[in-house]
Amino acid sequence: MRPCYPILFLISLLIFVSCADDTSGEAEMARPNIVFIMSDDHAYQAISAYNDKLIHTPNIDRLAKEGKLFTNASVTNSICAPSRAVILTGKHSHINGKIDNLSPFDTTNVTFPQLLQKAGYQTAMFGKLHFGNNPKGFDEFKILPGQGDYYNPKFITQQGDTTIQGYVTDITTDLTLDWMENRRDTTKPFLLMYLHKAPHRSWLPAKRHYTEFTEKTFPLPETLFDDYENRGTAAATAEMNILKHMTLNYDLKIYPEVVEALDIDDRKIYNPIQRMTPEQRASWDSIYGPINEDFQQRYPDMNDSTLMVWKYQRYMQDYLGTIAAVDENVGRVLDYLDENGLTENTLVVYTSDQGFYLGEHGWFDKRFMYDESFKTPLLIRWPHVITPNTTSEEMVQNLDFAQTFLDAAGVMSPNDMQGESLMPLLNGNTRNWNRDAVYYHYYEYPAEHAVKRHYGIATEDFKLIHFYFDVDEWELYDRKKDPLEMHNVYDDPTYADTVATMKEKLKEIRKKYKDSDALSEKYIDIYKDKGLIQ
């Protein structure tokens, strides 16, 4: 007997209308909660779901085991505040106006939290926003001013500033869980933005981790001693080399008096532990004091090679130590969701505002379109939608988050958002996903780290980059044959056809996203007006 489809459809329609008219909390909760977890400068190489050579991150890895791991996620502009602006607005930097860390955020931009709040979501933000003291679209926020501090940090709230004793990663989580437990409206779906300062420079771990991690030794990156041969001037002139530009005091916790006693020109003498209480400082000195004594004895006999390796190990000890606290605290939030019956209807994202160099090419920091900076971790869990323990190699970007969250919540995206909803990749309907290239544009030059302005396009197989302003240089990388990006093949005759194809693709994608040389000149003029360029 044939099924009676018209009757079934009518019953379904009546159920849908009934639910649509129901304004109770039960009907509201049909829409998923969204927990957006973002750290600052967390390299994908430092998450064991991607690579277990440096650190084990079991709690972050849970999101991969119970959800989806994206292996080809990237950013549109690898620097902190612009990346966050892209995430909030769903627009490239040249459209939302936040091209660098220096320019103000245009608050006339409409952000996805504003749209979710308008659609009935309860919204909250805790941790590091990095720009603006009064984020729009949030019922409650407690955010760090600017970069914030690792120890005894100040927070900006709707009721005024407050300083909280303790370690910032733990405190951010305490504030988050306090809101979840005591002020969450159980009749509404919620958007929670849980944003960590760590592992941003200058990498101050918690006591429980620096006692452990300062004893560790880590494998050296294959390209630690990169000499930048066969590439343009941008890589060779950038000021982010661990040996030459990573400071002993600010970055590696060598005390100012030791730096001065050794007669070392350290550029940036600043005491990053100045906010510690006497008790915190005593604990710190009990571990870092012997490190200082050992360095003072060994330094006179060090050459460039041994100093580079020493600096790298100190860098990794502190950087990874801060990540250990992030992983523990992510576990606290995931456990809370489990224990309170929220996991099944909650979309959880873990990401970073961009990637970071962990000694690759001899570097720390980010900014370049090379992979360690350009690619970012992305892990998403959403029970009953995402098949657990799956991987996506599709090209996705932080540009896509806003539309994804709006789509998940059933809220229409504004026409001027430029990303694409990741929903087809989350629910397995990949035939509706057809992106074959992503666009990138970095602006902050001249500035700290001296990474030249550049834009480019990446496909799964190739990456084409154009450095401009004070140079006119092109680079092409074969991503399959040269994953470490050591060989610029732009001038190689065997890649002539690829160069032509990629340039045409670059032209098309710039038109798609409404970027142009004229806009680049506009932003150069802004730097001139500020006196940053002569």
Side-chain angles (χ1 to χ4, degrees):
M1 185 173 69
R2 295 175 61 188
C4 188
Y5 290 121
I7 294 176
L8 290 175
F9 175 77
L10 181 60
I11 293 172
S12 298
L13 182 62
L14 289 172
I15 292 172
F16 175 80
V17 171
S18 174
C19 289
D21 288 342
D22 188 351
T23 58
S24 70
E26 225 173 271
E28 281 279 9
M29 289 307 292
R31 294 187 288 173
N33 307 308
I34 300 168
V35 176
F36 181 73
I37 310 172
M38 185 166 69
S39 51
D40 193 314
D41 293 343
H42 192 171
Y44 62 89
Q45 312 94 286
I47 294 176
S48 48
Y50 288 95
N51 186 330
D52 62 3
K53 293 180 180 179
L54 293 175
I55 190 171
H56 185 44
T57 52
N59 295 294
I60 297 171
D61 290 358
R62 271 180 63 185
L63 297 175
K65 292 174 183 175
E66 299 170 7
K68 188 178 291 286
L69 178 77
F70 288 80
T71 61
N72 213 357
S74 64
V75 297
T76 65
N77 183 358
S78 185
I79 187 168
C80 297
S83 175
R84 293 159 191 266
V86 169
I87 289 169
L88 287 170
T89 64
K91 303 174 188 177
H92 275 276
S93 300
H94 61 273
I95 300 295
N96 69 51
K98 184 66 177 165
I99 60 167
D100 54 28
N101 281 339
L102 308 174
S103 57
F105 178 65
D106 181 357
T107 57
T108 64
N109 280 299
V110 175
T111 65
F112 80 83
Q114 289 175 269
L115 297 172
L116 289 178
Q117 185 186 50
K118 186 177 180 180
Y121 271 69
Q122 186 183 17
T123 57
M125 175 187 284
F126 301 99
K128 182 176 180 180
L129 173 61
H130 192 271
F131 62 84
N133 293 345
N134 188 20
K136 288 185 175 181
F138 292 96
D139 299 311
E140 181 175 330
F141 62 81
K142 292 183 174 67
I143 59 174
L144 297 164
Q147 295 289 0
D149 291 288
Y150 275 102
Y151 281 84
N152 310 320
K154 179 188 292 186
F155 282 84
I156 299 167
T157 78
Q158 283 113 321
Q159 289 74 43
D161 294 354
T162 182
T163 297
I164 304 176
Q165 296 293 304
Y167 186 65
V168 68
T169 308
D170 302 335
I171 294 168
T172 298
T173 308
D174 292 343
L175 296 173
T176 298
L177 295 178
D178 175 65
W179 177 83
M180 294 266 281
E181 180 68 19
N182 297 311
R183 290 180 303 289
R184 180 174 64 86
D185 185 343
T186 58
T187 68
K188 291 182 176 183
F190 64 84
L191 164 70
L192 170 62
M193 298 192 75
Y194 167 50
L195 311 174
H196 285 292
K197 170 183 172 58
H200 192 278
R201 194 182 185 187
S202 60
W203 318 299
L204 272 64
K207 177 183 176 181
R208 63 187 183 274
H209 295 126
Y210 62 65
T211 54
E212 171 191 357
F213 276 79
T214 52
E215 297 294 325
K216 292 179 179 287
T217 301
F218 301 94
L220 302 182
E222 186 175 341
T223 60
L224 180 64
F225 293 98
D226 190 353
D227 61 7
Y228 316 116
E229 185 181 358
N230 186 41
R231 277 149 288 171
T233 59
T237 58
E239 296 176 358
M240 44 198 256
N241 183 273
I242 291 174
L243 175 64
K244 297 177 181 178
H245 306 113
M246 182 172 277
T247 63
L248 290 169
N249 172 236
Y250 180 73
D251 293 318
L252 303 178
K253 322 308 184 299
I254 298 302
Y255 300 157
E257 56 269 27
V258 175
V259 174
E260 292 168 5
L262 293 171
D263 195 25
I264 300 172
D265 181 9
D266 201 39
R267 291 193 313 124
K268 195 171 187 177
I269 294 291
Y270 165 69
N271 186 356
I273 56 178
Q274 61 188 356
R275 292 182 66 84
M276 289 183 178
T277 65
E279 293 79 13
Q280 291 166 340
R281 179 62 190 265
S283 296
W284 180 272
D285 286 341
S286 70
I287 301 298
Y288 286 87
I291 291 173
N292 274 260
E293 293 169 6
D294 178 71
F295 178 75
Q296 190 165 6
Q297 292 174 1
R298 294 173 57 191
Y299 178 76
D301 295 323
M302 286 182 173
N303 57 32
D304 283 353
S305 178
T306 55
L307 182 58
M308 171 67 118
V309 172
W310 183 89
K311 281 189 162 187
Y312 170 76
Q313 294 297 344
R314 278 271 47 250
Y315 169 34
M316 286 298 93
Q317 289 166 358
D318 288 346
Y319 177 91
L320 296 171
T322 68
I323 288 173
V326 172
D327 185 70
E328 288 176 350
N329 280 282
V330 167
R332 291 175 63 197
V333 171
L334 297 181
D335 288 346
Y336 183 91
L337 296 175
D338 288 348
E339 293 162 4
N340 289 273
L342 294 168
T343 296
E344 295 302 300
N345 193 42
T346 300
L347 188 166
V348 181
V349 172
Y350 185 88
T351 191
S352 175
D353 50 358
Q354 63 265 316
F356 211 69
Y357 293 104
L358 304 184
E360 299 88 0
H361 304 291
W363 289 334
F364 66 104
D365 209 70
K366 55 259 184 180
R367 302 166 196 261
F368 276 110
M369 195 183 173
Y370 307 133
D371 269 1
E372 292 82 10
S373 166
F374 172 63
K375 292 177 66 174
T376 189
L378 179 60
L379 306 89
I380 304 180
R381 184 185 74 182
W382 190 4
H384 313 299
V385 176
I386 296 176
T387 302
N389 202 27
T390 53
T391 300
S392 174
E393 297 179 353
E394 299 289 346
M395 305 192 75
V396 303
Q397 286 194 294
N398 57 351
L399 183 71
D400 303 321
F401 293 159
Q403 277 145 296
T404 301
F405 298 145
L406 294 173
D407 193 4
V411 178
M412 185 170 292
S413 301
N415 291 332
D416 60 350
M417 282 189 174
Q418 296 181 302
E420 297 179 34
S421 170
L422 301 179
M423 195 64 72
L425 303 181
L426 303 186
N427 63 25
N429 191 14
T430 55
R431 64 181 180 275
N432 291 331
W433 183 266
N434 57 7
R435 178 186 285 162
D436 65 352
V438 293
Y439 182 61
Y440 181 89
H441 198 152
Y442 174 80
Y443 301 85
E444 193 173 299
Y445 177 86
E448 187 174 8
H449 298 299
V451 173
K452 294 184 183 297
R453 296 174 184 240
H454 59 287
Y455 58 84
I457 185 173
T459 66
E460 290 186 7
D461 295 326
F462 298 100
K463 186 183 293 180
L464 180 69
I465 308 172
H466 181 214
F467 293 94
Y468 69 95
F469 172 57
D470 61 340
V471 294
D472 182 11
E473 298 177 350
W474 291 83
E475 296 180 4
L476 177 72
Y477 295 94
D478 188 325
R479 304 185 77 189
K480 296 296 175 63
K481 293 182 180 179
D482 180 27
L484 299 181
E485 297 175 310
M486 295 289 285
H487 305 288
N488 172 22
V489 294
Y490 180 81
D491 292 322
D492 185 334
T494 61
Y495 284 89
D497 289 344
T498 301
V499 168
T501 299
M502 290 293 287
K503 280 194 169 183
E504 186 59 32
K505 280 182 170 289
L506 178 59
K507 181 180 177 181
E508 292 170 359
I509 205 167
R510 295 191 85 197
K511 182 177 180 180
K512 173 183 176 180
Y513 290 126
K514 301 178 181 179
D515 198 7
S516 65
D517 290 344
L519 268 178
S520 298
E521 288 296 326
K522 168 191 169 183
Y523 289 121
I524 289 171
D525 288 341
I526 290 174
Y527 267 56
K528 290 179 179 177
D529 292 341
K530 292 179 178 179
L532 300 173
I533 297 174
Q534 298 302 316

